[in-house]
Amino acid sequence: MVAMPHPTAAKPAATRKDVARLAGVSSAVVSYVVNGGPKKVSPATEAKVRDAIAALGYRPNAAARALKLGSSEMLGMVVPDATNSFFATLAHAVEEAAAERGYALLIANSGGSLSAERRQVENLVSRRVDGVFLCSVLFEPDLRDLEAAEIPAVLLNHSAESPGFDSVGVALQDGARLAVEHLAQHGHRKIGLIMGTNTGGDLDAREVGWRQGIEEAGLQAGPVMRGPFSREGGYRAGKWLLNEADRPTAVFASSDLQAVGLLKACHEAGVRVPEDLAVVSFDGSAEAEYSWPPLTTVAQPVEDMARAAVEALVGGGGHKRNRIFPGTLIRRASCGC
Amino acid sequence: MVAMPHPTAAKPAATRKDVARLAGVSSAVVSYVVNGGPKKVSPATEAKVRDAIAALGYRPNAAARALKLGSSEMLGMVVPDATNSFFATLAHAVEEAAAERGYALLIANSGGSLSAERRQVENLVSRRVDGVFLCSVLFEPDLRDLEAAEIPAVLLNHSAESPGFDSVGVALQDGARLAVEHLAQHGHRKIGLIMGTNTGGDLDAREVGWRQGIEEAGLQAGPVMRGPFSREGGYRAGKWLLNEADRPTAVFASSDLQAVGLLKACHEAGVRVPEDLAVVSFDGSAEAEYSWPPLTTVAQPVEDMARAAVEALVGGGGHKRNRIFPGTLIRRASCGC
DNA sequence: TTGAAAGCGCTAACAT
DNA sequence: ATGTTAGCGCTTTCAA
């Protein structure tokens, strides 16, 4: 507690009962006016109740409500790293969409570790969230805890058709293909790849898309460098790539963050972008607009995805389905445009 | 995995009573083993209870617990913008520190608007969080809602001695002075300022520190440009500054984000950093390390601040106090080092 | 239109 | 060492 010079000693927060007493009605009536139902209340009584509520500064107790209703009116979201601006933006958008429907959002970080992810999910389960958005490190996450607790889940940032899962994501493969296509149109013949590594070790669809784009352009695959989805990861990958004997003239990076790291490696090495090396990346985060040069990137429709995810979770809609949104190429300077 | 068409229809989640029945004990005993107290339980019974818990997949109901205990074991945090990497990092650090003590963190965005801030605080109050971290848009926020609800608060990112408030922040003024001092040591005689605007309209201590640094170096104040604490804000400020008749040779920016915007303006204008314009900024966020050139910046000790804030809120410590941490100058290339 | 009352699942004081 | 039980504040059925 809290060093308080409160002259009015700790009055223990008004309950619905206090309001009822003050308004001279039963506690049920208070409930009716607070919740606008399920019964009607005469305008006169309603006014009295509202006055009493205001006078007492009454606020419904969310815990009691949650207990009674079996719903916490909270949603959970687990992301690998809320510090990554893409996930930060996504979480923010989800938060807003959830708030519109009266839900609060509990955000948990897994740090990209499977065990932490499980722990966070368990934590959310025990807090009785009404649903969870899972940006899993795994391609096919283990949802048993959630199923056992009957908590609906939607895989966010999941971009494959996975019957049995509810998911929303972006078309990774198409997006990557788009990026490579664009680079090919700029005349590049040797296009490398800086690819983020997934914990699960599955093949990322962006890699498939990159390869597809290259094949469709009748080119040969450039060098591939793998590393974490981070600035640091991109930087290391960049250093390696620039020292390669057959250095590509263009690179597709699987995230903006990695591209930012790559850019740093280029600047340090005196490699000019886009003249010596063209770059296109993925995500469309704000940071990409302010790097130098500004990054051409395949933007994810974050707002739409967030809305769709919330809709899937609490929209009451029926069946599980996979919603996949298209990415859009944003042309800036790094590709040579 | 686990697409399974639930043959077992919705069994309604085991309660402590079910566990008790299965274990052949009373529900109190279950409570004792789950919470490790307040009474002792014989090893034999404990084992039975644990088995039953496992068999039933029992999880305590947090809402019921919160209702009984009057504590939700959640903390709230309201930030202007969780998408801003400084706040994202801070929130993340707070989340971790809170988790160590068994608290979950509910993060809410105010978008820098006072009304939204109030709304978010109200929301947290009604969710009965056990405490809130407030990165207010105001210098002296209105804590009445929180006080009325007897919810302790700590002002985070608040850097003045404010008796009556519990706060933790960084020494803005000293940090800014440090930055300017450093620029002066590099020989700069005309040092401008890109200053973020606070909603409250109060004078930011960074501005005071900038002025102080200039005076201590025996210089004249350079031009000042104000705008939002954002990349965009820094960019606009930068464009203006670079077109000034008496363009400074160095600039202190009140946040890394603004400096990133400034850098973009410089690149576009062909102004070389640090040769034509040296830059030092504030925050020490990850983005500053990967800009080009990398930003010399006054880093906030985010982890320490987060820990201190959590400590202040739930450490049980007694009195209100203002904890102010020193910033540290990180020398990178943008200042000319 | 309003009221009385039965719980939701849990904790802990009190009884055994 | 273990059991019984009163309530935490709320919603909602049922009765008036």
Side-chain angles (χ1 to χ4, degrees):
Chain A
M1 129 48 28
V2 200
M4 57 149 194
H6 263 303
T8 38
K11 61 167 183 339
T15 74
R16 177 223 47 183
K17 208 169 180 174
D18 303 319
V19 175
R21 184 164 33 238
L22 180 59
V25 300
S26 84
S27 54
V29 176
V30 179
S31 211
Y32 301 152
V33 354
V34 169
N35 304 326
K39 292 285 176 55
K40 290 230 165 299
V41 175
S42 75
T45 4
E46 164 151 6
K48 280 193 300 185
V49 172
R50 295 217 178 279
D51 287 351
I53 288 179
L56 262 30
Y58 166 75
R59 303 186 153 292
N61 181 320
R65 195 183 148 85
L67 176 56
K68 182 66 184 181
L69 264 9
S71 155
S72 59
E73 278 154 17
M74 293 193 310
L75 268 17
M77 176 165 184
V78 2
V79 295
D81 176 15
T83 259
N84 174 324
S85 85
F86 171 71
F87 287 113
T89 308
L90 184 59
H92 188 239
V94 169
E95 185 199 324
E96 302 230 297
E100 269 173 27
R101 310 180 94 113
Y103 288 89
L105 218 219
L106 222 35
I107 299 169
N109 288 275
S110 70
S113 127
L114 181 54
S115 62
E117 178 179 309
R118 292 206 55 138
R119 216 176 317 121
Q120 296 289 23
V121 169
E122 296 224 325
N123 190 359
L124 293 173
V125 168
S126 80
R127 294 203 181 260
R128 291 298 201 272
V129 294
D130 296 333
V132 354
F133 304 99
L134 184 55
C135 300
S136 180
V137 302
L138 247 36
F139 184 70
E140 294 235 325
D142 176 359
L143 265 27
R144 271 172 302 181
D145 287 341
L146 292 166
E147 282 179 353
E150 310 238 356
I151 296 179
V154 3
L155 267 30
L156 200 33
N157 209 31
H158 178 90
S159 308
E161 294 290 344
S162 308
F165 290 123
D166 226 332
S167 74
V168 0
V170 72
L172 295 175
Q173 182 175 339
D174 284 354
R177 193 174 42 69
L178 221 60
V180 171
E181 208 168 70
H182 185 72
L183 253 8
Q185 279 163 8
H186 273 295
H188 292 284
R189 323 254 51 187
K190 192 184 292 179
I191 301 174
L193 171 67
I194 292 183
M195 187 63 228
T197 45
N198 293 305
T199 306
D202 314 279
L203 186 59
D204 190 291
R206 278 164 286 206
E207 182 161 349
V208 178
W210 165 77
R211 198 169 298 276
Q212 184 189 358
I214 284 177
E215 282 166 7
E216 287 178 5
L219 308 175
Q220 302 262 307
V224 177
M225 184 63 193
R226 294 166 210 283
F229 280 103
S230 64
R231 298 183 186 89
E232 169 79 15
Y235 177 66
R236 285 188 201 283
K239 285 184 96 153
W240 177 86
L241 217 55
L242 298 178
N243 283 325
E244 269 298 84
D246 72 339
R247 184 207 283 181
T249 62
V251 171
F252 168 62
S254 60
S255 72
D256 289 342
L257 243 37
Q258 290 170 295
V260 163
L262 167 61
L263 251 27
K264 176 170 171 137
C266 290
H267 282 126
E268 287 183 359
V271 171
R272 293 165 307 159
V273 176
E275 295 83 353
D276 303 333
L277 185 75
V279 176
V280 177
S281 61
F282 203 96
D283 280 350
S285 60
E287 198 169 338
E289 191 177 347
Y290 281 86
S291 61
W292 192 257
L295 286 165
T296 291
T297 178
V298 178
Q300 302 198 38
V302 172
E303 310 269 331
D304 296 342
M305 288 164 60
R307 232 185 303 282
V310 172
E311 169 69 26
L313 210 48
V314 300
H319 255 49
K320 296 197 190 313
R321 60 194 191 118
N322 304 121
R323 296 265 269 138
I324 300 194
F325 289 81
T328 46
L329 187 75
I330 299 186
R331 287 149 223 257
R332 290 199 272 251
S334 69
C335 60
C337 271
Chain B
M1 89 105 319
V2 212
M4 61 148 183
H6 267 299
T8 39
K11 63 167 174 356
T15 76
R16 178 223 47 188
K17 209 166 178 177
D18 302 319
V19 175
R21 183 164 35 237
L22 181 59
V25 300
S26 85
S27 54
V29 176
V30 179
S31 210
Y32 301 151
V33 353
V34 169
N35 304 327
K39 292 286 177 50
K40 290 230 165 298
V41 174
S42 77
T45 8
E46 163 152 6
K48 278 193 300 186
V49 172
R50 295 216 176 280
D51 286 351
I53 289 179
L56 263 32
Y58 165 75
R59 301 185 155 291
N61 180 321
R65 197 183 145 86
L67 176 56
K68 180 68 186 178
L69 265 6
S71 153
S72 60
E73 278 155 14
M74 293 194 308
L75 266 21
M77 175 166 186
V78 1
V79 295
D81 175 15
T83 258
N84 173 324
S85 86
F86 171 71
F87 288 114
T89 308
L90 185 59
H92 188 236
V94 169
E95 185 199 324
E96 300 229 298
E100 270 173 26
R101 309 179 95 113
Y103 288 89
L105 218 218
L106 222 34
I107 300 170
N109 288 274
S110 69
S113 130
L114 180 54
S115 62
E117 178 178 310
R118 293 205 56 138
R119 213 174 322 123
Q120 296 290 23
V121 169
E122 296 223 324
N123 189 359
L124 293 174
V125 168
S126 81
R127 293 203 181 261
R128 292 295 202 274
V129 295
D130 295 332
V132 353
F133 303 100
L134 185 54
C135 301
S136 181
V137 301
L138 249 35
F139 184 70
E140 294 235 326
D142 176 1
L143 264 30
R144 272 174 301 181
D145 287 341
L146 292 166
E147 281 176 355
E150 310 238 357
I151 296 180
V154 4
L155 267 30
L156 200 34
N157 210 33
H158 179 90
S159 306
E161 293 289 344
S162 310
F165 290 122
D166 227 331
S167 75
V168 359
V170 73
L172 294 176
Q173 183 175 338
D174 285 355
R177 194 176 41 66
L178 220 62
V180 172
E181 206 169 72
H182 185 71
L183 253 8
Q185 280 164 9
H186 273 295
H188 292 284
R189 323 256 54 190
K190 190 182 296 179
I191 301 174
L193 171 67
I194 292 182
M195 187 64 227
T197 44
N198 293 307
T199 306
D202 316 277
L203 187 60
D204 191 290
R206 276 164 287 206
E207 181 160 349
V208 178
W210 165 76
R211 200 170 297 277
Q212 184 189 359
I214 284 176
E215 282 165 8
E216 287 178 4
L219 308 176
Q220 302 261 306
V224 176
M225 184 62 191
R226 294 167 210 284
F229 280 102
S230 64
R231 299 184 187 90
E232 170 79 15
Y235 176 67
R236 285 187 201 283
K239 285 184 95 154
W240 177 87
L241 216 58
L242 298 179
N243 283 327
E244 269 299 84
D246 71 340
R247 184 207 283 180
T249 63
V251 170
F252 168 61
S254 60
S255 72
D256 289 342
L257 243 36
Q258 289 170 297
V260 164
L262 167 61
L263 252 27
K264 177 170 170 137
C266 290
H267 282 126
E268 287 184 359
V271 170
R272 292 165 309 158
V273 177
E275 295 83 353
D276 304 331
L277 185 75
V279 176
V280 177
S281 61
F282 204 97
D283 281 349
S285 60
E287 197 169 337
E289 191 177 345
Y290 282 86
S291 61
W292 191 257
L295 285 165
T296 291
T297 178
V298 178
Q300 303 198 39
V302 172
E303 310 269 330
D304 296 342
M305 290 164 60
R307 234 185 302 281
V310 172
E311 171 68 26
L313 210 49
V314 300
H319 256 50
K320 295 197 192 311
R321 60 194 191 118
N322 303 118
R323 297 263 270 138
I324 299 194
F325 290 80
T328 47
L329 187 76
I330 300 186
R331 290 149 221 257
R332 291 200 271 249
S334 68
C335 61
C337 272

